[in-house]
Amino acid sequence: MRVEELIGVSRGILFDFNGTLSNDEGLLEQAYDSALLQLGLTRLDPGEYAALLGRSDPDIAQAVLEHRGEGARINEFLSALADIYPAASISAGCLTPDSVAFVKWLLNNDKKVGIVTGTLRSMIEPVLAEYGLAEELNCLVTIEDVQAGKPDPEGFALGAQLLAVKAQEILVFEDSNAGLAAADSLGMRVVGIGGAIETPRLAAHYSTMDDLAAEVVALEGS
């Protein structure tokens, strides 16, 4: 099924944020590195961050700190990360004009749209506000709103509840196998973004959100 057909038969749309709606995994890794340096700790090892992709930011932070024998400094580290990431993301344009336009197009076409993310509210809200999305989205579920992050389906279940849409009528955009497992377990269809997700289990797959957004915009204009 083509993406426009998937969107057409869906009443609700839920986006993962980091690495999906926002093209920011490289920048986020840099933010972790900067936060470690700010706390006077050693920088990330090669491949350390990549091995933790798909987990929530608190889980990644805990693993990174425990690797350095500094697990008790989790709140200090997350505070530093929340200070560093939003401005860096906005400056780098990680949430691109095409992706923002795609979200607004969905809303204008009577779709209920939200975000389910393993990041912190303090990291995502300033970015959404910068692009005029904070007040337009129908829901925002962050790691603070659930007991367990992906692959636990709690976040997507809460997103469906807040959208007031049945899980089977929701289309999810995800970049991680943990997110895919969470959404799939609820019967949600999943469109994969990027190269780190299991394509055989996806309803569709795109290299970036911009590629998907460009296709939808092109179809609308044809």
Side-chain angles (χ1 to χ4, degrees):
M1 189 179 293
R2 296 173 63 86
V3 69
E4 68 273 16
E5 295 172 317
L6 290 166
I7 293 169
V9 299
S10 302
R11 293 183 56 229
I13 308 291
L14 289 173
F15 290 94
D16 173 53
F17 188 71
N18 301 120
T20 304
L21 186 58
S22 177
N23 184 20
D24 64 359
E25 287 295 3
L27 183 137
L28 192 53
E29 182 174 4
Q30 293 172 16
Y32 269 82
D33 217 34
S34 297
L36 286 170
L37 291 175
Q38 189 168 310
L39 269 62
L41 302 176
T42 58
R43 302 180 66 170
L44 291 168
D45 298 332
E48 182 179 2
Y49 180 80
L52 298 169
L53 286 179
R55 300 193 196 183
S56 69
D57 279 314
D59 284 349
I60 295 174
Q62 192 69 55
V64 165
L65 290 174
E66 287 178 356
H67 181 61
R68 289 157 180 78
E70 298 283 352
R73 300 179 72 181
I74 182 68
N75 290 334
E76 184 184 359
F77 182 84
L78 290 175
S79 178
L81 194 61
D83 285 340
I84 294 165
Y85 171 81
S89 173
I90 292 167
S91 177
C94 293
L95 196 56
T96 67
D98 283 349
S99 293
V100 172
F102 179 50
V103 173
K104 292 185 176 182
W105 176 84
L106 290 167
L107 290 163
N108 290 335
N109 280 272
D110 299 322
K111 303 300 178 183
K112 293 188 176 181
V113 182
I115 290 174
V116 176
T117 176
T119 198
L120 303 168
R121 194 170 294 273
S122 58
M123 290 174 65
I124 188 174
E125 282 189 333
V127 180
L128 295 175
E130 176 70 19
Y131 295 98
L133 295 179
E135 299 299 323
E136 293 193 35
L137 292 171
N138 301 116
C139 77
L140 171 60
V141 178
T142 70
I143 193 62
E144 293 103 325
D145 299 317
V146 297
Q147 295 297 313
K150 304 166 189 176
D152 192 289
E154 183 184 1
F156 283 123
L158 179 56
Q161 179 183 335
L162 293 172
L163 294 184
V165 176
K166 294 178 181 178
Q168 295 79 8
E169 297 178 301
I170 290 177
L171 182 64
V172 171
F173 295 91
E174 260 287 354
D175 76 319
S176 75
N177 289 320
L180 168 60
D184 188 59
S185 70
L186 297 172
M188 297 176 177
R189 292 178 294 273
V190 180
V191 174
I193 303 296
I197 193 165
E198 295 176 2
T199 54
R201 297 172 57 195
L202 299 172
H205 181 257
Y206 290 82
S207 296
T208 68
M209 184 61 65
D210 277 356
D211 290 338
L212 186 156
E215 180 177 313
V216 171
V217 169
L219 287 167
E220 283 297 297
S222 62

